[in-house]
Amino acid sequence: MTLKAPPGKWLVSYGVHQGTIVSRDSQNPTVHDSEAAARAYFNKLKAGFDADGYRTWFAELIDAQGGRTVLAPPVPY
């Protein structure tokens, strides 16, 4: 099953890690009213993760048709 945002909405799907396989974590996608709001949310979230020493494991924006846009390329650990 392909993950899709509700009609007219956008999802942000992401995961972070601290450099090891056991430190990785991902959350349920968050729902946003616009692409701009979704991007702003992720940028703020990423800044906080960076400040706390986490790295982006993966991050993508998902539209209502299931299309995906990479917000941050995966960083290998």
Side-chain angles (χ1 to χ4, degrees):
M1 183 169 128
T2 301
L3 186 61
K4 296 179 183 178
K9 304 287 184 179
W10 296 84
L11 299 178
V12 173
S13 178
Y14 65 92
V16 296
H17 67 85
Q18 284 189 304
T20 69
I21 292 172
V22 296
S23 72
R24 63 185 176 181
D25 189 22
S26 61
Q27 303 294 321
N28 289 329
T30 56
V31 180
H32 304 273
D33 291 330
S34 69
E35 181 178 358
R39 288 177 181 275
Y41 169 81
F42 177 71
N43 289 336
K44 183 176 180 179
L45 194 67
K46 185 176 183 319
F49 288 145
D50 290 348
D52 290 340
Y54 287 85
R55 294 182 182 174
T56 301
W57 174 22
F58 66 89
E60 59 189 2
L61 183 64
I62 304 168
D63 64 27
Q65 290 75 42
R68 295 168 185 265
T69 302
V70 173
L71 292 173
V75 176
Y77 46 103

